[in-house]
Amino acid sequence: QKLNTILSMATTYSFLNDALVPCSIFTLLGFLAYRHSGNLVSNADLIFSIGFLAFVFVANAVSFDSNKAQFELMEKDKINFEPMGKHSLGRGQFITKKSFLVYFAVSKIMGLMVPLIMIYTCPDDVAAMVSPSLFVLCVQAVAEQSTAAVHDVLRIAIPFAYTAYRLFGPLQSWAFESYSLYLEKPGELVYASNCGLAWVNLIFAAYNLFVFLLLRTLPVYFDKTQTPEVEMAYALFPLPKKQ
């Protein structure tokens, strides 16, 4: 039965067909950000960014039995798995809304595209300052694209974890350091722009974490009929009960 479920899943979703290209692109962008960081991408940034993704895969296999319950439910109800549609983050409730599309586009422009341009066009001190946040954001994109088939608990944990880490780590450092740099060179537009972008990203990340993700997206996953609960064998250890 488990083999049939996995085979059924494979007919509707394949990492090679659905996620390899975007994961490869964001991996390349993350590498470019790391190259321009001037060692400001810390060991903590590397350990968290890669380690949390590894944790998600291990937890999905060990604690959630490779998401078997959810795929068996979908197979029973004859529902095709659509990771970029109704099974995307937020259960597809936002991807058709114009306001969300604008919100998403602004976040990618301010958090990804503009910083990516800055690491090639701005002075080295600015490029290095921008890079850690950009690096973590690229790893988050890889994580979101590569974990479409994991349990919902782990999927929704990814934007929470990476956004929280960026907010209280690289983004906070970028914002305060860019302000200090601006005070040293107040008449130069590039340093004023760097400071402004840093603070916009910091405020945006705070709103995304505490408002959009926590109050708008997370409640969508409280429906146990769509996110079946895995019965655990122990109270304190996340090991599923064997049938």
Side-chain angles (χ1 to χ4, degrees):
Q1 178 64 35
K2 184 174 182 179
L3 177 60
N4 290 336
T5 300
I6 294 173
L7 290 175
S8 175
M9 178 186 73
T11 63
T12 57
Y13 173 78
S14 167
F15 174 81
L16 292 178
N17 293 331
D18 298 304
L20 180 61
V21 171
C23 284
S24 299
I25 292 172
F26 283 112
T27 299
L28 175 61
L29 295 179
F31 175 73
L32 295 176
Y34 180 78
R35 283 280 305 272
H36 287 80
S37 68
N39 295 322
L40 287 186
V41 173
S42 66
N43 289 335
D45 296 336
L46 292 169
I47 292 170
F48 171 81
S49 298
I50 300 171
F52 189 81
L53 180 55
F55 161 77
V56 166
F57 283 116
V58 172
N60 186 61
V62 175
S63 298
F64 294 98
D65 201 15
S66 298
N67 204 16
K68 175 184 173 183
Q70 190 162 8
F71 281 107
E72 284 183 343
L73 180 63
M74 290 168 56
E75 185 181 39
K76 177 183 176 182
D77 295 337
K78 296 181 171 26
I79 298 174
N80 288 330
F81 183 49
E82 300 176 19
M84 297 305 294
K86 60 186 176 183
H87 298 112
S88 62
L89 283 169
R91 296 202 188 286
Q93 292 193 16
F94 307 109
I95 58 176
T96 59
K97 305 292 185 181
K98 185 179 295 186
S99 58
F100 173 77
L101 295 176
V102 172
Y103 179 82
F104 182 80
V106 170
S107 71
K108 291 299 172 279
I109 291 171
M110 303 303 291
L112 181 68
M113 294 181 64
V114 175
L116 190 62
I117 294 171
M118 289 175 68
I119 67 174
Y120 284 101
T121 60
C122 292
D124 289 344
D125 50 359
V126 172
M129 199 174 289
V130 169
S131 295
S133 173
L134 179 60
F135 172 79
V136 176
L137 184 62
C138 289
V139 179
Q140 177 181 341
V142 172
E144 291 179 353
Q145 292 289 331
S146 62
T147 56
V150 306
H151 193 275
D152 283 342
V153 168
L154 297 171
R155 282 203 75 195
I156 194 60
I158 287 173
F160 272 97
Y162 283 95
T163 302
Y165 183 85
R166 284 181 65 235
L167 177 62
F168 296 106
L171 272 178
Q172 182 177 257
S173 297
W174 179 19
F176 286 105
E177 290 172 9
S178 66
Y179 180 68
S180 297
L181 191 60
Y182 166 71
L183 293 179
E184 294 177 11
K185 305 176 182 181
E188 299 189 39
L189 179 61
V190 64
Y191 295 106
S193 300
N194 176 46
C195 181
L197 183 66
W199 282 94
V200 167
N201 272 278
L202 185 73
I203 294 169
F204 195 98
Y207 178 88
N208 191 51
L209 177 62
F210 294 111
V211 180
F212 180 70
L213 287 174
L214 183 61
L215 303 181
R216 189 65 186 89
T217 307
L218 185 60
V220 173
Y221 289 89
F222 291 161
D223 186 348
K224 290 186 178 181
T225 61
Q226 297 187 60
T227 303
E229 184 178 0
V230 176
E231 189 175 1
M232 297 296 176
Y234 308 99
L236 300 180
F237 297 101
L239 296 176
K241 183 179 291 186
K242 299 299 181 182
Q243 300 295 330

